[in-house]
Amino acid sequence: MQERIPFIDYIRVIACLLVMVVHASECFYVDHDSYTMVANESNRLWVSVYDGGLGRISVPLFMIVSAFLLVPMKSGMTMHQFYRRRFLRILPPFVCFLLLYALLPLAWGGTTAEQALADLKMLPFNFPMAGGHLWFMYPLISLYLIIPVVSPWLERASAREERTFLYIFAFTTLTPWLHRFVSPYLWGECFWNNFSAFWYCSGYLGYLVLAHYIRVHIDWNRSKRLRIGALCLLIGGAFTAWSFWWKVTPGVMMDTPIAEWSWEFCTPNVLLATFGAFILFTCIDRSPAWITRLSKLTFGMYLMHIFYLILFAQLIIGGDVAAPRLPVWLAIPTIALLTYLCSALTTWLVSLLPGSKYIVG
């Protein structure tokens, strides 16, 4: 059994909470997924802070954690052995919750029979309408598929060679900005070609290589990690929060991708903040038993949390995002924390059942 790494357990626990903070924040600005409007200045500020300044690092942190633990593959492990081990762990719970999000909302009128049937037909191809957060599983699967391919290179690569790749990856994080403000087509992209010149050096693969580089080649002392980590997190997080606050105007409807112009997980600011946060976490050298136990529950918590979040959002918002029952600065973390606690308790209870690994991992 792999030895627990204390700071990795902390990352899982905190990143899982931040995912719920993001989704709690979305209750105060997302309208039918593709359009955004904030009701007032308070919503504009606190969505910027919680969703942008804090929450955007959650997904990249989970990607780095996966790569940190799995890359390079163990000596002697074959591609098929790796696939069998990883996919048997994540696919049964994933499929279980795909079905639950397609069908369970029927019980409280959260979807129609027609929509449920349409979701079921699409399950081999994409997530159901009520389970939008399950998008994360698809790039995670992609990382697992590519790990056996890049592992041999990472075993041989020097620090300089890895830095060269990371410089290219960092450059590609400008792509979302260039797509929005320069051209929808870059470096060979067109309606018959989605694969640009930098396609194969971009995306979450960059976080995979970054994880290996941090683990193998960064040997900074604790003081340096604290200084650099805090500075990167502060600058990246502040820019991410500002980008939303600057772009949206209270009472004005706009396309969500425009409002979130710098909130994609592979943008320079999110990359910088994620690097800083991960470096800060590496300063943790021990964790209490309850953090370890909670860390083991986070996969199931992530899978189920939307069911609870919808309930608590309705209770706390009360039908009016401009005047929720709690002030927005308190409403967002309260929704997230209640969702977190209920998801943790439910996952723990399910984990006591025989065969629970096929439901909550």
Side-chain angles (χ1 to χ4, degrees), residues 89-103:
R89 182 175 184 275
I90 68 168
L91 289 184
F94 177 41
V95 171
C96 175
F97 275 88
L98 284 172
L99 292 169
L100 286 174
Y101 281 104
L103 297 174

Side-chain angles (χ1 to χ4, degrees), residues 141-159:
I141 289 169
S142 178
L143 277 188
Y144 285 174
L145 289 173
I146 203 67
I147 281 174
V149 178
V150 300
S151 281
W153 173 70
L154 288 171
E155 287 178 338
R156 301 191 308 269
S158 65

